[in-house]
């Protein structure tokens, strides 16, 4: 982010502490910078602020000026007097102003918070023991932090529908809804799919979908994330696991080159959900529904777990020996993948060099982008392949040149990582002419005919990094262990590299990074563990700057040709 | 119909007079549209000054000075300016705008065109209450008549100024009368009031353009200000409370109805006894709500003392209170929408509040927490009290709930629904307590001795 200029800063006083913030910052965010929490429900940093929950009420004062002359009014100490507003103000839609003073702890503020908490609870069901939100529920949290702790309500609670299907992935419990309108605003302002709204009035207001429509867009599950209570639940996650048992592991979505930051929730080696991790430069607080499904590949039926040598199921050692033997042959070509991590691409490239590869290809996967968080390039790491030198040019979708080389008898052996060569345009006849060493996580038509198979791990089972469309280096960590016997990719690659004389052991990720730093200028002085949580923008080498990349506009990315919108 | 001697009819001058009809010929025969013809030859800025000089205050409820409202219109933005007539008249006890629309629609149209020209509006809307289908039809017809005579539409009265008026039927909710809710509704959305700041209509109103929202009666008054000049108009009524006011009297009086008076020219007592013929036989006055159901209730057997805005000390009985904006404010209530609700000694105050609470719980738009939940809670409490389960602590609980609403909501509905409860339990606490005590005695006659025994 660009440095904020000094004159664009305003200084205000919150609970007697001074803070300078960029113009336009609201009081909730300004207070957060001082580690002062102003409780809020309807406000969300990435959506418009309707000011409807009234949980964020604070006392506000402004420096006084004479109405007639405009001159400041001073007190006895020579300081400008503060005129305190008789009514509380909403912190969420009050912009910081020079000299403004805010009280977040005064008796009036406490009373407002107690009042709003009481109001939110009187018609709220006592569902916590069976509610998915329990443990990460703002209503629970603020009730204990800001509520009175006892009830004065002796009337009957309102009754509303408990299980409304809003769409294929989202279910609504209207009794739990606190009518904050976050979900509605998300659909209007982010997903551009204005299907949610309230019907009826007052306390009987009910969230619903427009008649004949449903909440089915590919971002619908974000409403579940931002719902401050347990009103919206994900059909996939509902009633499966109490959230406090989940281990949260930072990860990166592999759906496209956007590189959405995610958090993988797992317990005892099983993944239960994927949720977005905030990164204001990449995905804000959002992710696609389809990206959340990707954990299912871990336990997919077509998962590759068996080793193969000479076309027969084999032990890991036999398969490895068979692979090493293939690498000693001449006329070998390599096919890598934009799905591999930077580290894997580096080692794969090294391996290709050692084996004297005839050629190295990558298969590109281009589809239409959605303008939001799924780009046209449906692999997470083509930039990494370019930076590590695995490839020199942008890949194409069809491997016709490789096919010709096979036909011409220039290629007799293939090392294929993850890709399906048939899908990439090679013919069965061509593949019958070559011996194949296949590395990958899932079965496909290529693995089916490979002579040698070395199964590897999914993104959820290992560490590594990707370089997204912005040339931002981002890191992922292992959430769950891989299937028994399946080796970590780096371990497998290092073992293959060691088939050649005088090679170091490169199975440790730190070691790989030292090696990359020595060989590639962009990675100089970088270490895996030093990649910051929000990623690191890399200095793009000259020759990679103006390649015809496939991405169009996405949430935070505009190709050089298109100009970023102002503001 | 004969005019009551205490009245001064400007707006209602022709209404209900023998032979007066709402068609344009009758209006023209009575001098109609002469003011508009003059107005469009004048300088709009001067016209706005006239309104300021007149001291005209809004008749929709808040009593905000009309001249100042127009001055706040953001003319620098370069965006079109809109004029919106608030004809949503839904405040219980208020029924004046409907009379004007039904019986003298051209007066409103002329007032609107004069106002539109003064603020140089690009286009004008009449937002009429959904439950007034007849009124909407009448307005449509009248606008068509006026358009044919070139008082509405293109090149008004042969000038370069053009302005269309559109009638928009309301969405059938009280909150549609709140000006920012009205604007949302006019834009085709739910009438959810907007937060102010930043959405002051004068700056970010209809379609985010500067907008003047004025009540029917206010806009009619504009015509008369332009007719007689701001200075002359300001001589009617009292300083800061100029002009006339239409009051709608309902409840326990012999002659309920709508009347127009010079502001401050008579007291509440004169209104009830001299104009409205007093209470039904044998009854005594108990309480008055002077400005529509959301105004605070005033108790009859109480003295009202204090200082007026201009610094004069006063010591009034309820009957002594002069009917103007500032005096009613000084007495602890407000002139509001002009709906005067009179209650005699047969009124059960818990029931009266229960009725009002039911209305507000039904009409809260539900957008913001305190009003949405508080209004229904108050209703549930008063309903339970009336259904035979009152508790001694209810009166304090009611007050506490109301206190948790007022001043903390998005729009003034918060106050509108809290003030009745706050004032009823303050002024008639004895009745709320008595109700609970009576119930306790009836349901457990042995309770007191039993308590005594345990001591
Ligand atoms: C809950 C609520 C309901 C209102 N209903 C009406 C109404 O029905 N008619 C009206 O003229 N003003 C109504 N108002 C007042 C309007 O918001 C606004 O102040 C008025 O239209 C301004 O016109 P004026 O300045 O000419 O009085 C209402 C206000 C509130 C808070
Ligand atoms: S939404 Fe929160 S408070 Fe409500 S039932 Fe669920 S966990 Fe409990
Ligand atoms: S469902 Fe959740 S996000 Fe949507 S309005 Fe209700 S509480 Fe807010
Ligand atoms: S105060 Fe009541 S009517 Fe006004 S916005 Fe809030 S909920 Fe709606
Ligand atoms: S956060 Fe809801 S009103 Fe401010």
């Amino acid at each position: 982010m660009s440095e904020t200029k000094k004159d664009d800063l305003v200084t205000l006083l919150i609970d007697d502490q001074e803070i300078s913030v960029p113009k336009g910052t609201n009081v909730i965010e300004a207070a957060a910078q001082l580690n002062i929490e102003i409780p809020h429900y309807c406000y969300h940093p990435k959506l418009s602020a309707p000011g409807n929950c009234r949980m964020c009420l604070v006392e506000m004062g402004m420096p006084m000026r004479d109405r007639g002359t405009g001159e400041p009014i001073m007190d006895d100490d020579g300081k400008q007097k503060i005129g305190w507003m008789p009514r509380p103000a909403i912190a969420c839609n009050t912009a910081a102003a020079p000299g403004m003073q805010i009280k977040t702890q005064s008796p009036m503020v406490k009373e407002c918070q107690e009042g709003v908490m009481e109001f939110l609870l009187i018609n709220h069901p006592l569902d916590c023991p069976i509610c998915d939100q329990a443990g990460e529920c703002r209503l629970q949290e603020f009730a204990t932090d800001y509520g009175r702790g006892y009830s004065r309500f002796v009337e009957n609670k309102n009754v509303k529908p408990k299980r409304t299907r809003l769409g294929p992935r989202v279910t609504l419990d209207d009794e739990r809804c606190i009518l904050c309108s976050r979900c509605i605003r998300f659909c209007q302002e982010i997903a551009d799919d204005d299907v949610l709204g309230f019907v009826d009035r007052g306390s009987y207001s009910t969230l619903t979908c427009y008649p004949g429509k449903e909440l089915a867009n590919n971002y619908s599950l974000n409403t579940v994330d931002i719902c401050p209570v347990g009103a919206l639940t994900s059909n996939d996650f509902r009633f499966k696991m109490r959230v406090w048992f989940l281990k949260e592991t930072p990860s990166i979505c592999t759906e496209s080159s956007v590189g959405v930051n995610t958090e993988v929730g797992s317990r005892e080696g099983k993944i239960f959900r994927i949720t977005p991790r905030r990164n204001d430069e990449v995905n804000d607080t959002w992710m696609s529904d389809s990206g959340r499904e990707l954990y299912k590949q871990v336990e997919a039926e077509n998962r590759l777990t068996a080793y193969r040598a000479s076309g027969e199921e084999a032990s890991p050692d036999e398969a490895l020996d068979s692979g090493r033997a293939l690498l000693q042959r001449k006329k070998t070509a390599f096919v890598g993948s934009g799905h591999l991590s930077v580290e894997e691409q580096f080692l794969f490239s090294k391996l290709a060099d050692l084996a004297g590869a005839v050629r190295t290809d990558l298969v590109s996967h281009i589809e239409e982008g959605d303008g939001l968080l799924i780009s046209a390039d449906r692999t997470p790491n083509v930039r990494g392949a370019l930076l590590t030198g695995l490839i020199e040019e942008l890949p194409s979708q069809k491997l016709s040149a490789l096919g010709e080389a096979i036909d011409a008898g220039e290629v007799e052996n293939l090392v294929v990582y993850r890709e399906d060569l048939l899908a990439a345009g090679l013919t069965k006849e061509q593949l019958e002419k070559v011996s194949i060493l296949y590395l990958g996580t899932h079965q496909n038509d290529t693995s089916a005919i490979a002579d040698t198979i070395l199964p590897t791990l999914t993104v959820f089972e290992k560490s590594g990094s990707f370089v997204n469309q912005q040339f931002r280096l981002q890191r992922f960590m292992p959430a769950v262990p891989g299937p028994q016997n399946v080796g970590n990719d780096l371990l497998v690659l290092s073992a293959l590299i060691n088939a050649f004389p005088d090679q170091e052991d490169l199975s440790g990720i730190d070691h790989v990074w030292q090696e990359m730093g020595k060989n590639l200028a962009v990675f100089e002085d970088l270490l895996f563990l030093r990649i910051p949580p929000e990623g690191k923008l890399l200095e793009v080498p000259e020759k990679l700057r103006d390649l015809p990349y496939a991405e169009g506009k996405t949430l935070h990315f505009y190709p050089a040709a298109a100009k970023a919108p102002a503001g | 119909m004969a005019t009551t001697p205490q009245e001064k009819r400007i707006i209602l001058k022709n209404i209900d007079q023998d032979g007066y009809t709402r068609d344009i010929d009758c209006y023209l025969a009575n001098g109609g549209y002469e003011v508009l013809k003059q107005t469009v030859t004048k300088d709009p800025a001067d016209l706005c000054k006239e309104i300021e000089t007149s001291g005209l205050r809004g008749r929709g409820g808040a009593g905000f000075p009309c001249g100042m409202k127009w001055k706040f219109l953001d003319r620098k933005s370069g965006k079109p300016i809109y004029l919106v007539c608030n004809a949503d008249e839904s405040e219980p006890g208020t029924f004046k705008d409907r009379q004007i629309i039904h019986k003298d629609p051209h007066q409103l149209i002329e007032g609107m065109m004069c106002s539109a020209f003064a603020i140089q509006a690009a286009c004008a809307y009449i937002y009429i209450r959904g439950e007034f289908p007849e009124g909407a039809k009448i307005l449509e017809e009248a606008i068509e008549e006026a358009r044919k005579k070139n008082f509405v539409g293109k090149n008004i009265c042969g000038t370069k100024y053009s302005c269309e008026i559109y009638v928009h039927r309301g969405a059938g909710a009280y909150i549609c009368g709140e000006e920012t809710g009205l604007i949302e509704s006019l834009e085709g959305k739910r009438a959810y009031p907007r937060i102010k700041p930043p959405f002051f209509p004068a700056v970010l109103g209809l379609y985010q353009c500067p907008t003047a929202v004025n009540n029917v009666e206010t806009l009619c008054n504009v015509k008369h200000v332009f007719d007689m000049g701001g200075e002359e108009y300001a001589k009617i009524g009292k300083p800061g409370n100029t002009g006339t006011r239409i009051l709608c009297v309902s409840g326990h009086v012999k002659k309920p109805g709508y009347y127009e008076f010079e502001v401050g020219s008579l007291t509440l007592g004169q209104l009830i006894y001299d104009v409205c013929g007093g209470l039904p036989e044998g009854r005594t006055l108990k309480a008055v709500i002077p400005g529509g159901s959301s105004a605070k209730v005033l108790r009859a057997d109480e003295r009202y003392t204090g200082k007026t805005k201009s610094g004069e000390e006063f010591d009034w009985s309820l009957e002594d209170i002069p009917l103007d904006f500032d005096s009613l404010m000084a007495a602890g209530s407000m002139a509001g929408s002009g709906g005067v609700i009179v209650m005699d000694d047969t009124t059960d105050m818990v029931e009266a509040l229960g009725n009002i609470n039911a209305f507000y719980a039904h009409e809260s738009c539900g957008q913001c927490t305190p009003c949405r939940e508080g209004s229904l809670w108050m209703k549930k409490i008063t309903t339970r009290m009336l259904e035979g389960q009152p508790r001694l602590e209810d009166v304090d609980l009611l007050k506490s709930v109301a206190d948790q609403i007022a001043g903390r909501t998005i729009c003034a509905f918060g106050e509108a629904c809290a003030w009745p409860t706050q004032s009823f339990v303050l002024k008639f606490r004895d009745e709320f307590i008595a109700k609970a005590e009576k119930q306790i005695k009836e349901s457990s006659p042995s309770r007191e001795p039993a308590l005594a025994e345990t001591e």
Side-chain angles (χ1 to χ4, degrees), chain A residues 28 39-44 49-57 90-93:
Chain A
I28 290 189
H40 56 271
Y41 290 107
C42 68
Y43 169 73
H44 185 280
N52 63 32
C53 73
R54 315 308 280 184
M55 190 63 198
C56 67
L57 291 170
I90 45 171
C92 61
N93 209 329

PDB file of all heavy atoms in Angstrom, chain A residues 28 39-44 49-57 90-93, ligand 5:
ATOM      1  N   ILE A  28     -14.809   3.152  14.486  1.00  0.00           N
ATOM      2  CA  ILE A  28     -14.543   1.755  14.890  1.00  0.00           C
ATOM      3  C   ILE A  28     -13.115   1.368  14.511  1.00  0.00           C
ATOM      4  O   ILE A  28     -12.359   0.811  15.324  1.00  0.00           O
ATOM      5  CB  ILE A  28     -15.523   0.774  14.202  1.00  0.00           C
ATOM      6  CG1 ILE A  28     -16.927   0.942  14.774  1.00  0.00           C
ATOM      7  CG2 ILE A  28     -15.050  -0.677  14.370  1.00  0.00           C
ATOM      8  CD1 ILE A  28     -17.921  -0.115  14.316  1.00  0.00           C
ATOM      9  N   PRO A  39     -17.859  -2.640  20.164  1.00  0.00           N
ATOM     10  CA  PRO A  39     -18.634  -3.790  19.686  1.00  0.00           C
ATOM     11  C   PRO A  39     -19.565  -3.390  18.549  1.00  0.00           C
ATOM     12  O   PRO A  39     -20.097  -2.284  18.552  1.00  0.00           O
ATOM     13  CB  PRO A  39     -19.426  -4.219  20.920  1.00  0.00           C
ATOM     14  CG  PRO A  39     -19.500  -3.000  21.778  1.00  0.00           C
ATOM     15  CD  PRO A  39     -18.224  -2.244  21.541  1.00  0.00           C
ATOM     16  N   HIS A  40     -19.727  -4.276  17.575  1.00  0.00           N
ATOM     17  CA  HIS A  40     -20.597  -3.966  16.442  1.00  0.00           C
ATOM     18  C   HIS A  40     -21.123  -5.243  15.815  1.00  0.00           C
ATOM     19  O   HIS A  40     -20.480  -6.280  15.886  1.00  0.00           O
ATOM     20  CB  HIS A  40     -19.840  -3.138  15.407  1.00  0.00           C
ATOM     21  CG  HIS A  40     -18.575  -3.775  14.920  1.00  0.00           C
ATOM     22  ND1 HIS A  40     -17.366  -3.581  15.537  1.00  0.00           N
ATOM     23  CD2 HIS A  40     -18.340  -4.628  13.897  1.00  0.00           C
ATOM     24  CE1 HIS A  40     -16.436  -4.279  14.906  1.00  0.00           C
ATOM     25  NE2 HIS A  40     -17.000  -4.932  13.910  1.00  0.00           N
ATOM     26  N   TYR A  41     -22.287  -5.155  15.213  1.00  0.00           N
ATOM     27  CA  TYR A  41     -22.881  -6.290  14.499  1.00  0.00           C
ATOM     28  C   TYR A  41     -23.038  -6.002  13.010  1.00  0.00           C
ATOM     29  O   TYR A  41     -22.598  -6.751  12.175  1.00  0.00           O
ATOM     30  CB  TYR A  41     -24.263  -6.632  15.071  1.00  0.00           C
ATOM     31  CG  TYR A  41     -24.227  -7.229  16.447  1.00  0.00           C
ATOM     32  CD1 TYR A  41     -24.627  -6.501  17.556  1.00  0.00           C
ATOM     33  CD2 TYR A  41     -23.791  -8.533  16.644  1.00  0.00           C
ATOM     34  CE1 TYR A  41     -24.598  -7.048  18.828  1.00  0.00           C
ATOM     35  CE2 TYR A  41     -23.760  -9.095  17.914  1.00  0.00           C
ATOM     36  CZ  TYR A  41     -24.165  -8.349  18.996  1.00  0.00           C
ATOM     37  OH  TYR A  41     -24.131  -8.887  20.239  1.00  0.00           O
ATOM     38  N   CYS A  42     -23.698  -4.903  12.695  1.00  0.00           N
ATOM     39  CA  CYS A  42     -24.050  -4.693  11.280  1.00  0.00           C
ATOM     40  C   CYS A  42     -22.858  -4.202  10.476  1.00  0.00           C
ATOM     41  O   CYS A  42     -22.752  -4.461   9.289  1.00  0.00           O
ATOM     42  CB  CYS A  42     -25.230  -3.735  11.151  1.00  0.00           C
ATOM     43  SG  CYS A  42     -24.900  -2.036  11.619  1.00  0.00           S
ATOM     44  N   TYR A  43     -21.945  -3.491  11.123  1.00  0.00           N
ATOM     45  CA  TYR A  43     -20.791  -2.969  10.403  1.00  0.00           C
ATOM     46  C   TYR A  43     -19.871  -4.114   9.976  1.00  0.00           C
ATOM     47  O   TYR A  43     -19.579  -5.016  10.758  1.00  0.00           O
ATOM     48  CB  TYR A  43     -20.016  -1.991  11.286  1.00  0.00           C
ATOM     49  CG  TYR A  43     -18.678  -1.615  10.713  1.00  0.00           C
ATOM     50  CD1 TYR A  43     -18.599  -0.764   9.615  1.00  0.00           C
ATOM     51  CD2 TYR A  43     -17.497  -2.137  11.241  1.00  0.00           C
ATOM     52  CE1 TYR A  43     -17.377  -0.437   9.061  1.00  0.00           C
ATOM     53  CE2 TYR A  43     -16.265  -1.810  10.694  1.00  0.00           C
ATOM     54  CZ  TYR A  43     -16.211  -0.966   9.598  1.00  0.00           C
ATOM     55  OH  TYR A  43     -15.007  -0.654   9.047  1.00  0.00           O
ATOM     56  N   HIS A  44     -19.450  -4.069   8.721  1.00  0.00           N
ATOM     57  CA  HIS A  44     -18.446  -5.003   8.220  1.00  0.00           C
ATOM     58  C   HIS A  44     -17.485  -4.181   7.386  1.00  0.00           C
ATOM     59  O   HIS A  44     -17.912  -3.383   6.551  1.00  0.00           O
ATOM     60  CB  HIS A  44     -19.100  -6.096   7.363  1.00  0.00           C
ATOM     61  CG  HIS A  44     -18.131  -7.152   6.924  1.00  0.00           C
ATOM     62  ND1 HIS A  44     -17.276  -6.954   5.860  1.00  0.00           N
ATOM     63  CD2 HIS A  44     -17.855  -8.378   7.418  1.00  0.00           C
ATOM     64  CE1 HIS A  44     -16.526  -8.039   5.717  1.00  0.00           C
ATOM     65  NE2 HIS A  44     -16.851  -8.917   6.650  1.00  0.00           N
ATOM     66  N   ALA A  49     -22.148   0.774   5.448  1.00  0.00           N
ATOM     67  CA  ALA A  49     -22.534   0.785   6.861  1.00  0.00           C
ATOM     68  C   ALA A  49     -23.925   1.386   7.037  1.00  0.00           C
ATOM     69  O   ALA A  49     -24.096   2.591   6.948  1.00  0.00           O
ATOM     70  CB  ALA A  49     -21.505   1.574   7.679  1.00  0.00           C
ATOM     71  N   PRO A  50     -24.937   0.546   7.259  1.00  0.00           N
ATOM     72  CA  PRO A  50     -26.296   1.053   7.368  1.00  0.00           C
ATOM     73  C   PRO A  50     -26.626   1.596   8.755  1.00  0.00           C
ATOM     74  O   PRO A  50     -27.629   2.277   8.939  1.00  0.00           O
ATOM     75  CB  PRO A  50     -27.138  -0.188   7.086  1.00  0.00           C
ATOM     76  CG  PRO A  50     -26.315  -1.317   7.602  1.00  0.00           C
ATOM     77  CD  PRO A  50     -24.882  -0.930   7.383  1.00  0.00           C
ATOM     78  N   GLY A  51     -25.788   1.280   9.735  1.00  0.00           N
ATOM     79  CA  GLY A  51     -26.018   1.813  11.085  1.00  0.00           C
ATOM     80  C   GLY A  51     -27.289   1.294  11.722  1.00  0.00           C
ATOM     81  O   GLY A  51     -27.978   2.037  12.402  1.00  0.00           O
ATOM     82  N   ASN A  52     -27.605   0.022  11.533  1.00  0.00           N
ATOM     83  CA  ASN A  52     -28.894  -0.436  12.043  1.00  0.00           C
ATOM     84  C   ASN A  52     -28.861  -1.180  13.369  1.00  0.00           C
ATOM     85  O   ASN A  52     -29.854  -1.221  14.070  1.00  0.00           O
ATOM     86  CB  ASN A  52     -29.642  -1.258  10.970  1.00  0.00           C
ATOM     87  CG  ASN A  52     -28.916  -2.526  10.585  1.00  0.00           C
ATOM     88  OD1 ASN A  52     -28.227  -3.138  11.400  1.00  0.00           O
ATOM     89  ND2 ASN A  52     -29.064  -2.940   9.341  1.00  0.00           N
ATOM     90  N   CYS A  53     -27.729  -1.750  13.762  1.00  0.00           N
ATOM     91  CA  CYS A  53     -27.766  -2.555  14.996  1.00  0.00           C
ATOM     92  C   CYS A  53     -27.678  -1.698  16.254  1.00  0.00           C
ATOM     93  O   CYS A  53     -28.165  -2.077  17.287  1.00  0.00           O
ATOM     94  CB  CYS A  53     -26.658  -3.602  14.996  1.00  0.00           C
ATOM     95  SG  CYS A  53     -25.007  -2.934  15.254  1.00  0.00           S
ATOM     96  N   ARG A  54     -27.062  -0.572  16.151  1.00  0.00           N
ATOM     97  CA  ARG A  54     -26.898   0.416  17.225  1.00  0.00           C
ATOM     98  C   ARG A  54     -26.029  -0.107  18.375  1.00  0.00           C
ATOM     99  O   ARG A  54     -26.121   0.373  19.498  1.00  0.00           O
ATOM    100  CB  ARG A  54     -28.249   0.890  17.787  1.00  0.00           C
ATOM    101  CG  ARG A  54     -29.288   1.213  16.757  1.00  0.00           C
ATOM    102  CD  ARG A  54     -28.836   2.164  15.704  1.00  0.00           C
ATOM    103  NE  ARG A  54     -28.840   3.568  16.063  1.00  0.00           N
ATOM    104  CZ  ARG A  54     -28.531   4.543  15.219  1.00  0.00           C
ATOM    105  NH1 ARG A  54     -28.208   4.254  13.970  1.00  0.00           N
ATOM    106  NH2 ARG A  54     -28.528   5.790  15.606  1.00  0.00           N
ATOM    107  N   MET A  55     -25.224  -1.121  18.100  1.00  0.00           N
ATOM    108  CA  MET A  55     -24.354  -1.668  19.139  1.00  0.00           C
ATOM    109  C   MET A  55     -23.121  -0.794  19.316  1.00  0.00           C
ATOM    110  O   MET A  55     -22.453  -0.851  20.332  1.00  0.00           O
ATOM    111  CB  MET A  55     -23.944  -3.105  18.749  1.00  0.00           C
ATOM    112  CG  MET A  55     -23.231  -3.878  19.848  1.00  0.00           C
ATOM    113  SD  MET A  55     -24.300  -4.104  21.287  1.00  0.00           S
ATOM    114  CE  MET A  55     -23.081  -4.522  22.534  1.00  0.00           C
ATOM    115  N   CYS A  56     -22.789  -0.001  18.316  1.00  0.00           N
ATOM    116  CA  CYS A  56     -21.510   0.713  18.330  1.00  0.00           C
ATOM    117  C   CYS A  56     -21.650   2.128  18.849  1.00  0.00           C
ATOM    118  O   CYS A  56     -20.788   2.964  18.608  1.00  0.00           O
ATOM    119  CB  CYS A  56     -20.937   0.742  16.915  1.00  0.00           C
ATOM    120  SG  CYS A  56     -21.952   1.756  15.827  1.00  0.00           S
ATOM    121  N   LEU A  57     -22.742   2.421  19.543  1.00  0.00           N
ATOM    122  CA  LEU A  57     -22.955   3.803  20.001  1.00  0.00           C
ATOM    123  C   LEU A  57     -21.827   4.252  20.940  1.00  0.00           C
ATOM    124  O   LEU A  57     -21.397   3.514  21.817  1.00  0.00           O
ATOM    125  CB  LEU A  57     -24.307   3.925  20.702  1.00  0.00           C
ATOM    126  CG  LEU A  57     -25.535   3.774  19.791  1.00  0.00           C
ATOM    127  CD1 LEU A  57     -26.813   3.675  20.611  1.00  0.00           C
ATOM    128  CD2 LEU A  57     -25.622   4.937  18.811  1.00  0.00           C
ATOM    129  N   ILE A  90     -23.229   6.741  16.188  1.00  0.00           N
ATOM    130  CA  ILE A  90     -22.755   5.427  15.760  1.00  0.00           C
ATOM    131  C   ILE A  90     -21.299   5.538  15.305  1.00  0.00           C
ATOM    132  O   ILE A  90     -20.968   6.363  14.462  1.00  0.00           O
ATOM    133  CB  ILE A  90     -23.623   4.817  14.627  1.00  0.00           C
ATOM    134  CG1 ILE A  90     -23.948   5.851  13.535  1.00  0.00           C
ATOM    135  CG2 ILE A  90     -24.882   4.207  15.176  1.00  0.00           C
ATOM    136  CD1 ILE A  90     -24.612   5.259  12.312  1.00  0.00           C
ATOM    137  N   ALA A  91     -20.460   4.691  15.882  1.00  0.00           N
ATOM    138  CA  ALA A  91     -19.037   4.732  15.546  1.00  0.00           C
ATOM    139  C   ALA A  91     -18.773   4.217  14.136  1.00  0.00           C
ATOM    140  O   ALA A  91     -17.819   4.600  13.488  1.00  0.00           O
ATOM    141  CB  ALA A  91     -18.244   3.915  16.560  1.00  0.00           C
ATOM    142  N   CYS A  92     -19.672   3.353  13.655  1.00  0.00           N
ATOM    143  CA  CYS A  92     -19.413   2.692  12.372  1.00  0.00           C
ATOM    144  C   CYS A  92     -19.545   3.621  11.183  1.00  0.00           C
ATOM    145  O   CYS A  92     -18.924   3.404  10.160  1.00  0.00           O
ATOM    146  CB  CYS A  92     -20.360   1.517  12.184  1.00  0.00           C
ATOM    147  SG  CYS A  92     -22.103   1.991  12.166  1.00  0.00           S
ATOM    148  N   ASN A  93     -20.373   4.644  11.312  1.00  0.00           N
ATOM    149  CA  ASN A  93     -20.532   5.544  10.167  1.00  0.00           C
ATOM    150  C   ASN A  93     -20.217   6.978  10.559  1.00  0.00           C
ATOM    151  O   ASN A  93     -20.777   7.920  10.030  1.00  0.00           O
ATOM    152  CB  ASN A  93     -21.932   5.440   9.568  1.00  0.00           C
ATOM    153  CG  ASN A  93     -21.911   5.751   8.072  1.00  0.00           C
ATOM    154  OD1 ASN A  93     -21.085   6.540   7.616  1.00  0.00           O
ATOM    155  ND2 ASN A  93     -22.789   5.143   7.320  1.00  0.00           N
TER     156      ASN A  93
HETATM  157  S1  LIG C   5     -22.182  -1.303  13.888  1.00  0.00           S
HETATM  158 FE1  LIG C   5     -24.316  -1.478  13.708  1.00  0.00          FE
HETATM  159  S2  LIG C   5     -24.910   0.567  14.027  1.00  0.00           S
HETATM  160 FE2  LIG C   5     -22.790   0.741  14.032  1.00  0.00          FE
END
